[in-house]
Every structure is written in C-alpha cells, then in structure tokens.
Amino acid sequence: MSETSIPALLSHLGEHAKSIAVIGPGTGQKIYDLPQFTEAEVAQAIGKLRASQPTWASLEVHERAQVLLKLHDLIIEHSEQFIDLLAFETGKARIHGFEETAGAMNAARHFGKIAAKALRQHRVKSGAPTLTRNYVDYVPFGVVGVITPWNYPLALSALDVLPALVAGNTVVHKIDNQTALTALYLRKLAVEAGLPEEVWTIVVGDGAEVGNAITDSVDFVAFTGSTATGRLVAERAAKRLIGYSLELGGKNPMIVLPNANLKRAATLAIAAATGNAGQLCVATERVYVANSQIQEFLNELSAQVNNLAVGKSLLADKDLGTLTSKAQLERVQTMVNEAVSLGAKLVAGGQHNDIQGPYAYTPAVLSEIPAEAKLNRGEVFGPVLQVYGYETLEHAINAANDSEYGLNASVIGPVAEALVVAKQLQAGSVNINEGYRATFASMDSPMGGFKQSGSGRRNGNYGLLRFVESRAIGIADGLLKLPLRAKDYQSMKPLMFALSKILRRL
C-alpha cells in the first residue's frame, strides 16, 4: 500500500477535530492517523443521505444493479490491491485475502444479478377470486446503517452495503478504525462503477458513540460483531421499532465420524481454525473425535501445525497470517494459558511467534480441557483448536449443540452418514467435509445463526429482502363485487363457500 494513496482514500472522510493512530499488525507501529466522527457529524451525514435517497430509489432496479455488476469487474481488476490492503491492515495471509476478495466479488455479482427479479412487483393469490386482484411490491427503508468489524472489512462490507444499495436505500457505513482503508477503496471503486457519491457514506469513530448515533437515526441497521454488542444494538433498535439483522459470535463445532480419513480431517480442522488466523466468526474451535481415535488425531494435528508455512513478508505465500492487534494476541494467550493452568494439555503450538510480527501466534491444539476453563464455552476468536473425545455419535451431537451459540458447524466423513448428523446440529450453517467455505462461499445460501449467534440472514433473496418493506396491493375490479350491505352478504355467501370448496380441490 503506497503512502501517497492513503491520503486520497481518507479524503472521503473529510476534516475532523480528532484523530487516532492506526497501528499496523506487521510492525506494531503507527501507519497513519485516522479522523474520528462525532455524534453530531454522524447525524449530519445521515441527514444528507436521507435527502439523496429518493433520487437514488427512483432509478429502475436494473439501473442500480448495473453499478454492482460493473463493480464486480473492477474488484477482479484490482484484486491484488485488495489483497495487499487486507494484509497491510489486518495481517491476513494472502490466501485468506484472496478468499475475502472473492467473497466481495461474488456478492457484487450475485446481488447485481438477482435484484431485478427479486424486487419486482408480482401477483399473489387473491383471497376472493373473481372479486379482487392482489400484488406485492417492495419499498426501500430509506437510510440503512451498516456496522462492520475489522476481521473481514471487504467481504462483510460488500455483503451488507451492496444489497442495501441495490434495494434503493442510501447507506451510512461504520467501519472499524483498524480497517478503514479497505472499505474506502471498495467505495472508491463503486463510485467508479457509477454509484453516486452521495448514497454511500463511510464514518469512523468510537464504537459506542458512532454506533449509537447510527442506530438512533437510521431506518434499519445491519450489525456484525460480538453477541454482547449485538444485544445492545437490538435493544436500541427495538425502542424505535426499526428492523435489524445481527450476525454475531460462534463457538463452532466439528464432528469427525469414526470412519473418516483422520489425516484429511486434521487438515480440514486446521484450515477451518486458522482461516484469517482464527479471527472469523465461522471458524472451527471445537473438534469431537471418537475416543479410540483421539490420540492418532492429536498426533496428526500436531505434525501439521508444526509444518505450517509462515513468513514475515506481507507478500509471502504462507498458510497463516498474524493476529490483527495486541488486544487480540492478549485475548488468545489469556484464554489458552488459563486452560493450561487448570489442567488442559497443550498438544501443539500456543506460543507467540515473532517470526511473523508482534502479534503472531502459533496455532494451539488442546485436549483434556477442564469444564471450568473459559475456553470451553467462550469464543476465542483466534487460531485455537479444542479436541474432545466421544463414545457415541449421540454424545458428540449433544456436546456440539451444548452451547449458547449456533452459527456454524461441520461434519467430516462419508456424505450419507454426515448428512444424518448435520440435520441434528443446531447451527445456521453446516458444512460437510469442509470447515466453513462450502456454505460461506454460496451467495444463494442464507447465512446467519441460531440461538445467541444472531437474528436474520444475509445472502440469497433473504439478504436482499431484509432491506425493504413489503407492500400489499389489492384491486377490487373483478367480475363480481365484494358485499357492502347485509342483503349483498346473504346472496354472496353460498357462492363464496362453493368457490372455496372448488379451490380446496384444485
């Protein structure tokens, strides 16, 4: 990322009285100063978005969709710049930067392709055939607030901002301070693709101050982050009776079936635990293996962890990136160290790895974890695998479901058997012979969580229609007229009952 391009990207944010230092995960040093919005400045930005929304919404859906399809092509054209940016701001390995860039590209294409059909006015069945005709159309909310975290600043921005825009809303988008440049670059390309400057505004600042200012003023809010903060967003939105979607935390289990290939299962488990250095809401944290196979599985995990490719350069091809901040490193270390102090067995890894930078951490594999360890139930959000044994599959399924979270799960083994297990897991997505990518990469599959892992769904038609109000339109111009007086009712009743019986049989 060239230094000269940073001021150009930051210029969209404008001048502000306060700024903070952004620390690069590759060096632990300041990389630039980021302006910070106040509550009043957020309110002013939302006022401008509200004024420009009717003009944007007046365009035909296919016109708005063309912007997304052009953006899709620009993301491909500038994919290496995005991968550079993601490594620069998050410490992400390039393989994971590629995955994230592909996610944004797919989102632009998917919503650009489905919008016109999904949002078209369509006819629905009448409650009184021959008397009325009925239709449904869709109305954008107005101004949508999108709040995205630092771990996937490109993909999560695209998955929420783009469908909100193509639905006819304007968007105020709070991106985390750590990853403002990535989102600003996506917006820059969207403008190049034909998006009016005034329909997507990015703001940054204190999480509580800016986040609350957004939730208190917009017409719908889409939030991705922790379960604790998600509850606060939901409470604040509920007071105003506005809609919201929440994609929150996970404590994601993987069940390895007794007849699975253990070497392959270990490879999948490590990949699913170390994607983006484990800083991924759908990353695998818990693995359940048959008691008779657990030692062989642990040996395989240990060998593979020790064989991961690492390197300091942001341009290197490596299997593992670094954690993004000092706070993340301390969080992971604290949870692992506490579990070990209580008697957990550290099978592999679990050390600060200064080869890659100040916040790097060698993936940890643990077994025999005491029930009282926070690691057992709390989301780690780092490259940590907890391995548990099971006697029966019923035991494994019950253990996998024994969590307040229900975001993602996976099953490794023969597909027919894995499907039976998958349908018993309490999770918004279940992957077979994959950790998370089989569902995560499908733009047509709903993504969201059970239990405390969220509310609502992104992707597919679900992810688009959450940003609109549905409106029912009924037209009374049929061959017959709806009864208006008592005498009309008496003559109409036999006909209506007879018609209903006919419809029941059709």
Side-chain angles (χ1 to χ4, degrees):
M1 183 68 199
S2 67
E3 292 183 6
T4 54
S5 61
I6 293 177
L9 288 175
L10 294 179
S11 65
H12 165 72
L13 301 176
E15 297 292 331
H16 301 273
K18 182 183 176 183
S19 65
I20 64 163
V22 176
I23 305 301
T27 63
Q29 304 299 313
K30 184 179 85 168
I31 50 178
Y32 63 90
D33 289 310
L34 181 69
Q36 300 286 277
F37 280 67
T38 64
E39 182 178 356
E41 289 167 335
V42 172
Q44 184 180 24
I46 291 173
K48 292 179 180 178
L49 288 165
R50 196 169 294 285
S52 60
Q53 189 270 334
T55 301
W56 173 243
S58 70
L59 297 177
E60 296 292 338
V61 178
H62 71 86
E63 295 179 90
R64 299 194 297 265
Q66 278 302 310
V67 175
L68 270 60
L69 295 176
K70 291 177 183 176
L71 176 60
H72 165 272
D73 296 343
L74 289 174
I75 293 172
I76 294 176
E77 183 181 337
H78 296 272
S79 59
E80 285 302 311
Q81 288 95 321
F82 275 119
I83 295 170
D84 288 346
L85 265 174
L86 290 166
F88 180 69
E89 290 196 296
T90 71
K92 200 182 296 270
R94 298 188 74 78
I95 182 175
H96 302 132
F98 164 75
E99 287 180 359
E100 181 170 359
T101 303
M105 171 192 73
N106 290 343
R109 184 186 68 246
H110 174 76
F111 290 114
K113 286 285 190 181
I114 73 165
K117 182 177 179 180
L119 295 172
R120 78 187 192 284
Q121 176 178 295
H122 60 281
R123 189 165 182 173
V124 295
K125 292 178 181 178
S126 168
T130 74
L131 283 78
T132 63
R133 290 180 290 137
N134 291 80
Y135 298 87
V136 171
D137 72 353
Y138 299 102
V139 183
F141 283 112
V143 181
V144 165
V146 173
I147 302 173
T148 53
W150 49 265
N151 61 325
Y152 274 74
L154 175 57
L156 294 177
S157 296
L159 288 169
D160 284 346
V161 172
L162 299 185
L165 287 171
V166 80
N169 302 284
T170 51
V171 173
V172 56
H173 178 196
K174 182 195 175 298
I175 188 72
D176 190 90
N177 287 329
Q178 181 66 39
T179 50
L181 297 181
T182 299
L184 288 166
Y185 193 55
L186 179 65
R187 182 189 175 278
K188 175 181 180 294
L189 294 186
V191 171
E192 287 183 24
L195 186 77
E197 288 262 9
E198 63 274 12
V199 304
W200 177 9
T201 297
I202 291 176
V203 298
V204 287
D206 176 75
E209 180 179 2
V210 173
N212 289 344
I214 289 173
T215 308
D216 289 346
S217 300
V218 297
D219 306 304
F220 184 95
V221 61
F223 172 83
T224 304
S226 72
T227 295
T229 305
R231 288 193 189 101
L232 298 176
V233 171
E235 290 171 5
R236 209 169 187 102
K239 288 180 180 177
R240 298 185 54 232
L241 294 180
I242 65 166
Y244 57 83
S245 62
L246 309 172
E247 200 255 88
L248 308 176
K251 186 69 179 174
N252 308 304
M254 172 183 285
I255 296 177
V256 180
L257 300 183
N259 49 358
N261 180 311
L262 287 187
K263 183 173 183 178
R264 176 64 176 165
T267 301
L268 290 169
I270 290 172
T274 60
N276 197 34
Q279 301 165 123
L280 171 61
C281 56
V282 292
T284 297
E285 294 196 5
R286 301 178 284 150
V287 185
Y288 296 92
V289 185
N291 284 333
S292 61
Q293 299 175 311
I294 193 167
Q295 191 55 56
E296 181 184 353
F297 186 71
L298 288 170
N299 292 342
E300 186 62 46
L301 286 175
S302 181
Q304 293 197 30
V305 165
N306 293 330
N307 197 37
L308 289 172
V310 298
K312 188 172 181 63
S313 171
L314 297 180
L315 300 178
D317 287 328
K318 51 194 176 183
D319 297 322
L320 184 69
T322 176
L323 294 170
T324 299
S325 67
K326 182 180 179 181
Q328 276 302 106
L329 176 61
E330 290 175 349
R331 174 190 176 88
V332 174
Q333 286 179 316
T334 298
M335 294 186 79
V336 170
N337 292 346
E338 186 236 18
V340 171
S341 72
L342 292 172
K345 182 179 179 181
L346 184 60
V347 177
Q351 300 90 28
H352 175 232
N353 164 24
D354 58 7
I355 295 173
Q356 290 186 263
Y359 311 135
Y361 189 79
T362 303
V365 178
L366 298 101
S367 65
E368 302 175 26
I369 302 149
E372 63 269 28
K374 293 178 182 178
L375 199 66
N376 255 317
R377 307 191 74 81
E379 183 181 27
V380 181
F381 220 63
V384 177
L385 269 178
Q386 304 152 232
V387 183
Y388 303 88
Y390 66 82
E391 283 294 334
T392 67
L393 273 177
E394 182 182 9
H395 167 226
I397 292 166
N398 290 338
N401 288 335
D402 184 20
S403 171
E404 68 173 337
Y405 298 110
L407 188 59
N408 182 50
S410 51
V411 187
I412 311 302
V415 172
E417 297 170 45
L419 272 170
V420 174
V421 174
K423 291 180 179 181
Q424 299 176 68
L425 295 176
Q426 297 167 3
S429 59
V430 182
N431 293 263
I432 293 175
N433 295 326
E434 235 299 319
Y436 59 81
R437 292 176 300 181
T439 54
F440 192 66
S442 171
M443 291 295 118
D444 210 28
S445 295
M447 180 187 177
F450 289 12
K451 299 184 278 190
Q452 299 299 303
S453 286
S455 175
R457 296 292 184 268
R458 59 160 57 105
N459 297 352
N461 281 17
Y462 326 88
L464 178 60
L465 296 180
R466 63 185 160 137
F467 293 117
V468 292
E469 295 272 24
S470 59
R471 176 168 55 196
I473 299 173
I475 304 172
D477 65 349
L479 297 174
L480 303 174
K481 302 300 180 185
L482 288 167
L484 300 174
R485 302 294 176 102
K487 61 186 177 77
D488 300 329
Y489 154 75
Q490 290 295 341
S491 60
M492 183 66 69
K493 183 174 69 171
L495 177 62
M496 289 299 297
F497 286 168
L499 183 58
S500 185
K501 289 179 179 179
I502 294 171
L503 293 173
R504 166 69 178 83
R505 287 166 174 76
L506 290 178

